[in-house]
């Protein structure tokens, strides 16, 4: 199983531990085998999966 291969963080701001604020993150180049898709996510993370399926 491949994990975290080539994931790109497209957007993320600085988090603040003093206020318990976690900045959102947008991740690209994610596959179904990556840890971000297989494990429970604790935070505002949006993984983007590219689909080449045409209907």
């Amino acid at each position: 199983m491949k994990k975290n291969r080539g994931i790109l963080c497209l957007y993320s701001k600085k988090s603040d531990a003093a206020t318990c604020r976690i900045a959102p993150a947008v991740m690209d180049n994610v596959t179904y085998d990556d840890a971000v898709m297989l494990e429970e996510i604790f935070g505002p993370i949006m993984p983007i999966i590219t689909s080449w399926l045409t209907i």
Side-chain angles (χ1 to χ4, degrees):
M1 182 179 345
K2 300 173 192 169
K3 291 193 176 196
N4 298 332
R5 172 207 44 79
I7 293 177
L8 304 172
C9 186
L10 299 178
Y11 176 82
S12 182
K13 289 190 174 183
K14 199 171 188 178
S15 297
D16 187 356
T19 61
C20 297
R21 183 181 179 281
I22 301 173
V26 178
M27 305 170 101
D28 193 10
N29 202 26
V30 178
T31 67
Y32 288 107
D33 293 332
D34 289 321
V36 71
M37 295 302 292
L38 296 173
E39 299 172 8
E40 190 170 0
I41 300 171
F42 293 99
I45 298 174
M46 184 173 126
I48 299 173
I49 297 178
T50 302
S51 173
W52 300 106
L53 178 67
T54 57
I55 299 176

